[in-house]
Amino acid sequence: MPPLLELVDVHKAFGRTEVLRGISFSVEPGEVVAVLGPSGSGKSTLLLCVNHLERIDRGRILFDGRLVGYREQGGRLKAEGDAAVARMRREIGMVFQRFNLFPHLTALGNVMEAPVHVLKQSKAEARARATAMLSRVGLGDKLDAYPSQLSGGQQQRVAIARSLAMGPRLMLFDEVTSALDPELVGEVLEVMRGLAEMGMTMLVVTHEMAFAREAASRVIFMDEGAVVEDAPPAAFFASPRSDRARQFLSRYGR
Amino acid sequence: MLGGVEGLFLGVIDWGVVRDNLFSELVLRGVWMTVRLSVLAMLFGIALGTVFALMRLSRLAPVRWASLLYIWLFRGTPLLVQIVFWFFALPQLWPEWAPWDGKLSTFQAAIVALSINEGAYMTEIMRAGIQSVDPGQALAARSLGMTYPLAMRRIILPQAMRVVIPPTGNEFIAMLKSSSLVNAISVAELFFVAKQQYSSSLKYLEWLLIISAWYLVLTTIASLFQAWLEARYRGPAGAASESVFSRARRPAWMGGR
């Protein structure tokens, strides 16, 4: 089976600051890849590039064998149009550090919004699926709550349900527990563990070492815009090969 | 009955003229014309303002410049000049558009002039509204597979409304009054009616009283409508939701429960 996601020599700079300097790796279907690294190592930018919310400067990203954000024409890369990129994003879910729930919609409204208006599901169908999805993340009793009436952990679970409602084949998680009070982190990780067990392919940028160690099938360690290590979690945590990874682990605990 | 200064002052007014004309068909037609002009021009102005605000925020420099040029031109010249331009000067540029051939009536010219002028002001109001929405909202919308127009329509613009409505209400109230400028091209709105009447009867005071009363009625209704709209967009769940937006606007880790 071909990799679900493949990055080849991906470069990205903001002005003169190089954020990604030649990233290459691939993710097989069903893999849960934890992306670790100090802040400013380019992890979040990497995720934004994967579904073309940031455009890359060089290299290529392939999702299910198709170029992300570009198409090949006569041996050259041409930028894809808005509609084509949007269609690709339906299959890639993304969850953000700061939730980014739609504050003018209820939990149910948040989850139904894209299935109704992007996938053109009927309202009744979307409502049924959204209800099921919210129940699955433990919020069956909060359907009509607005984001401001929910705790951070609940909001983040709504955000996960909102992404899942699109039926994505790949989920991107961008430090989804970093904005949460410590006692709320567990409930979100619980949902993510469940997803991993069900075979969802996940690319997880995180500072939760326990999650990386227990739920990930692979760890990618990034520093200064480059992949420094790419190893199974057991190997990475027991015997990191690079000095930078060792330093990182001693700072963040094992 | 009335003594002293008030008596002298009020005695000057021919109350019969006021009474006979306050609800006369002529005046009511003028009121209706003022309302029609203001509402139509405002709707077109909002549409134009939305389009030019999106252009103003475009990634493409020439598109941004086109928007800036529009604002510069139509916000920087007097509305009266623009009204006279669309009716009298445009046919000079394109004779086949001459209104007297029935191509652009005085009413149409008035709508064009008021709409385009209003659009320039609404552009800045809509831009401020769109920019007030957390950029994370656009990211989330796009990540769910929404196209740019869909994300704007369903996610960004509804949230921009909160910031857009109060100044837009102001604009509409200003429009009710500045629509009187189209009397310059003989559109029979409220002020034009009064002008025609006091020119022949010399009952200036009476006619100004009549139309001022009507302008006050219209602006009062507009203010009430604005208050109702603001309450509606303040939030979905009444008083508790006052905080729906304000709390969501600060980072969740600072304020969100």
Side-chain angles (χ1 to χ4, degrees):
Chain A
M1 212 166 6
L4 186 62
L5 179 70
E6 190 176 4
L7 288 81
V8 184
D9 193 32
V10 171
H11 288 258
K12 172 72 189 175
F14 292 114
R16 304 186 64 177
T17 316
E18 277 189 274
V19 185
L20 301 178
R21 317 171 184 228
I23 302 276
S24 300
F25 66 86
S26 55
V27 179
E28 303 295 325
E31 268 195 306
V32 176
V33 178
V35 181
L36 309 180
S39 355
S41 56
K43 302 171 308 240
S44 294
T45 305
L46 178 74
L47 286 196
L48 290 172
C49 288
V50 165
N51 65 359
H52 204 56
L53 288 168
E54 285 287 353
R55 73 182 55 215
I56 61 177
D57 300 331
R58 200 139 62 81
R60 53 182 60 195
I61 299 176
L62 296 129
F63 175 69
D64 198 23
R66 292 166 291 163
L67 276 172
V68 170
Y70 297 89
R71 66 196 137 88
E72 208 142 17
Q73 213 170 48
R76 310 192 66 184
L77 293 188
K78 296 201 72 176
E80 266 301 4
D82 182 40
V85 175
R87 208 171 305 122
M88 183 214 66
R89 290 198 189 111
R90 296 175 186 179
E91 300 181 54
I92 304 178
M94 184 158 190
V95 185
F96 302 87
Q97 181 175 353
R98 290 198 12 225
F99 326 138
N100 297 346
L101 288 184
F102 306 134
H104 59 306
L105 301 176
T106 61
L108 193 62
N110 266 274
V111 181
M112 284 173 61
E113 183 67 17
V116 169
H117 293 280
V118 177
L119 300 181
K120 308 286 180 200
Q121 286 176 9
S122 73
K123 284 221 167 130
E125 184 191 358
R127 183 185 310 270
R129 294 168 62 120
T131 306
M133 208 60 83
L134 283 166
S135 304
R136 197 170 126 190
V137 297
L139 294 171
D141 57 337
K142 297 286 185 189
L143 301 182
D144 297 322
Y146 283 90
S148 65
Q149 299 164 328
L150 297 172
S151 75
Q154 291 169 330
Q155 288 188 59
Q156 196 58 295
R157 285 185 281 152
V158 173
I160 293 173
R162 178 174 70 173
S163 273
L164 292 177
M166 292 296 286
R169 295 200 286 156
L170 170 67
M171 286 287 289
L172 309 173
F173 292 88
D174 186 10
E175 302 198 22
V176 297
T177 55
S178 301
L180 297 178
D181 293 337
E183 74 268 23
L184 302 177
V185 169
E187 61 190 71
V188 173
L189 291 180
E190 194 62 35
V191 170
M192 292 170 65
R193 281 204 178 88
L195 263 183
E197 278 161 23
M198 287 181 58
M200 176 63 77
T201 312
M202 296 159 64
L203 193 55
V204 185
V205 169
T206 185
H207 287 296
E208 293 294 326
M209 296 303 135
F211 178 83
R213 190 182 303 129
E214 292 153 24
S217 49
R218 228 169 97 204
V219 169
I220 285 177
F221 176 72
M222 279 177 69
D223 193 21
E224 293 181 348
V227 173
V228 179
E229 295 200 30
D230 184 345
F236 175 78
F237 285 103
S239 50
R241 281 176 288 117
S242 63
D243 287 341
R244 281 186 283 182
R246 266 193 290 277
Q247 273 173 17
F248 174 80
L249 283 176
S250 67
R251 214 173 315 130
Y252 278 86
R254 308 204 162 200
Chain B
M1 191 170 69
L2 287 159
V5 182
E6 295 109 315
L8 277 175
F9 177 66
L10 293 174
V12 173
I13 298 169
D14 184 345
W15 289 101
V17 172
V18 176
R19 191 185 53 231
D20 293 345
N21 287 289
L22 196 52
F23 298 103
S24 69
E25 193 189 334
L26 191 69
V27 166
L28 291 180
R29 278 181 193 280
V31 171
W32 175 232
M33 179 55 87
T34 291
V35 168
R36 248 191 332 157
L37 283 171
S38 304
V39 169
L40 278 177
M42 198 66 208
L43 291 176
F44 287 132
I46 291 171
L48 281 173
T50 307
V51 170
F52 279 97
L54 294 174
M55 289 171 63
R56 179 107 157 69
L57 298 169
S58 167
R59 269 190 319 187
L60 305 171
V63 176
R64 286 201 303 272
W65 297 335
S67 177
L68 284 170
L69 178 69
Y70 168 71
I71 297 170
W72 176 75
L73 199 58
F74 290 99
R75 210 173 55 168
T77 54
L79 176 55
L80 187 53
V81 170
Q82 293 171 33
I83 290 166
V84 173
F85 169 83
W86 289 109
F87 187 69
F88 289 112
L90 190 67
Q92 210 180 334
L93 285 173
W94 291 287
E96 68 271 23
W97 275 33
W100 39 88
D101 288 340
K103 291 263 173 69
L104 201 61
S105 68
T106 55
F107 178 73
Q108 289 165 342
I111 290 290
V112 169
L114 291 173
S115 302
I116 290 181
N117 182 263
E118 185 55 43
Y121 289 92
M122 283 308 300
T123 298
E124 289 296 77
I125 292 173
M126 294 302 297
R127 177 185 61 85
I130 291 167
Q131 286 183 325
S132 75
V133 179
D134 179 356
Q137 293 291 306
L139 277 186
R142 306 307 296 281
S143 80
L144 288 166
M146 292 193 190
T147 57
Y148 175 81
L150 184 63
M152 265 298 153
R153 189 163 58 79
R154 296 288 314 172
I155 305 301
I156 310 298
L157 290 179
Q159 293 184 60
M161 284 303 122
R162 220 179 105 267
V163 171
V164 163
I165 287 170
T168 304
N170 255 351
E171 286 297 309
F172 182 63
I173 286 169
M175 171 70 84
L176 282 168
K177 295 171 295 173
S178 53
S179 64
S180 61
L181 287 175
V182 303
N183 83 83
I185 55 171
S186 305
V187 176
E189 45 68 51
L190 204 43
F191 181 77
F192 183 78
V193 169
K195 188 173 82 169
Q196 276 195 316
Q197 295 302 315
Y198 67 55
S199 305
S200 52
S201 69
L202 304 184
K203 300 285 186 189
Y204 298 103
L205 208 46
E206 292 77 3
W207 277 98
L208 292 185
L209 261 176
I210 291 168
I211 64 168
S212 295
W214 274 110
Y215 278 119
L216 282 168
V217 167
L218 296 180
T219 51
T220 304
I221 293 171
S223 311
L224 293 173
F225 179 65
Q226 177 186 346
W228 174 79
L229 258 189
E230 274 180 43
R232 225 195 91 157
Y233 272 95
R234 183 165 302 137
S241 64
E242 173 108 45
S243 54
V244 164
F245 291 105
S246 50
R247 206 184 297 159
R249 270 153 57 81
R250 64 184 115 117
W253 38 268
M254 279 174 64
R257 271 181 294 130

